[in-house]
Amino acid sequence: MRPSGRKTDQMRKVSFERGFSKHAEGSCLVKFGDTHVLCTASVEEKPPAWLRNSGKGWVTAEYGMLPRSTGDRMRREATSGKQGGRTQEIQRLIGRSLRAVVSLESLGERQITVDCDVIQADGGTRTASITGGWIALHDCLKWMESRNMLKVEKVLKDHVAAISCGIFANQPVLDLDYLEDSSAETDANFVMTGTGGFVEIQGTAEGAPFSEEELHTLMGLAKQGVSELVEMQKQAIA
């Protein structure tokens, strides 16, 4: 039995609230159970320096956790003068995931930054950030389209969403919360497109190595979970 009482292939309750931020070109408050992340997408009229005069745009991401998003207050990374390795790794993952489904040439020489701020954490903050970040990016591109800022109408080539899977108490399970994540024998994150392509797979054995058969089982759970998330994304933007 999982601590939450969920079935092994059952996700937490997921919700998207679009337009949460008044000022951002695109925004979404995403909730994976008790993990809540505010995703905002902002347009800048210039690309990174290394892309100038290339005719291409860029999509990047920044990620952070608010001081009381967890049980104990965390110190803001700004006060220490640098980002931690975990923060850098997660925001690079979010950026890669979103760029995988964007036609960068169609943006023109602009940059979209998707900020993912964790308001409350209970496991799966990176997967919630990617999934909600896609909606914020979608709405930002719609905002740009309505102002004739894009070279073509279809800049987003596909959906992208992410889900965690793991082996908890010797059972493969879908969408780990913190209690499961902190004691799982194996922890994995899958980033996939709406058409079933893999953007990234992160898998770690916390104890004994996991087998190829277990990996395939986790992959099957992930495909199911991402398929459900993509359907929710479609309903949210309809």
Side-chain angles (χ1 to χ4, degrees):
M1 178 67 71
R2 303 176 72 173
S4 62
R6 288 182 285 144
K7 298 177 182 177
T8 56
D9 63 349
Q10 183 180 358
M11 294 195 300
R12 292 171 287 180
K13 182 180 179 181
V14 176
S15 68
F16 304 110
E17 184 176 345
R18 296 167 67 197
F20 189 84
S21 177
K22 175 181 178 181
H23 301 292
E25 284 79 40
S27 65
C28 175
L29 177 65
V30 55
K31 297 180 180 180
F32 277 33
D34 285 334
T35 289
H36 303 171
V37 184
L38 174 58
C39 305
T40 56
S42 307
V43 183
E44 294 179 80
E45 284 293 334
K46 59 180 181 180
W50 51 274
L51 269 180
R52 285 176 191 160
N53 302 317
S54 69
K56 291 175 63 176
W58 193 244
V59 175
T60 189
E62 294 190 12
Y63 167 94
M65 297 181 69
L66 297 187
R68 278 318 300 267
S69 58
T70 57
D72 297 317
R73 184 187 186 276
M74 293 184 299
R75 188 180 178 195
R76 294 182 191 273
E77 290 184 323
T79 63
S80 65
K82 64 177 182 178
Q83 289 182 319
R86 177 182 179 275
T87 296
Q88 293 182 41
E89 185 257 323
I90 290 176
Q91 64 189 25
R92 288 170 182 163
L93 170 65
I94 299 167
R96 288 194 301 271
S97 301
L98 296 175
R99 285 193 299 273
V101 294
V102 174
S103 172
L104 297 175
E105 294 81 2
S106 302
L107 286 177
E109 293 198 13
R110 299 183 179 91
Q111 175 167 284
I112 298 175
T113 302
V114 178
D115 289 289
C116 300
D117 293 292
V118 179
I119 299 171
Q120 185 171 283
D122 185 36
T125 60
R126 72 186 67 196
T127 56
S129 295
I130 292 166
T131 307
W134 184 90
I135 291 182
L137 176 62
H138 168 275
D139 286 357
C140 177
L141 291 170
K142 284 295 182 183
W143 183 91
M144 295 171 70
E145 182 184 323
S146 68
R147 289 159 177 78
N148 299 313
M149 296 169 68
L150 300 173
K151 293 182 180 180
V152 297
E153 286 187 12
K154 196 162 184 178
V155 178
L156 267 181
K157 299 180 287 186
D158 202 348
H159 288 253
V160 71
I163 197 70
S164 64
C165 299
I167 299 175
F168 173 78
N170 298 315
Q171 285 287 327
V173 296
L174 178 65
D175 190 21
L176 282 69
D177 57 28
Y178 178 75
L179 284 175
E180 294 170 329
D181 188 34
S182 60
S183 57
E185 296 102 77
T186 297
D187 180 20
N189 296 295
F190 293 81
V191 186
M192 298 178 63
T193 64
T195 51
F198 291 95
V199 178
E200 190 148 340
I201 299 173
Q202 301 176 331
T204 304
E206 301 292 348
F210 56 93
S211 66
E212 183 177 349
E213 181 181 354
E214 288 171 325
L215 175 60
H216 282 294
T217 300
L218 295 178
M219 192 178 298
L221 286 172
K223 287 180 179 179
Q224 173 195 318
V226 168
S227 177
E228 291 179 29
L229 289 171
V230 168
E231 285 304 312
M232 293 179 204
Q233 286 177 333
K234 290 177 180 179
Q235 292 173 18
I237 65 173

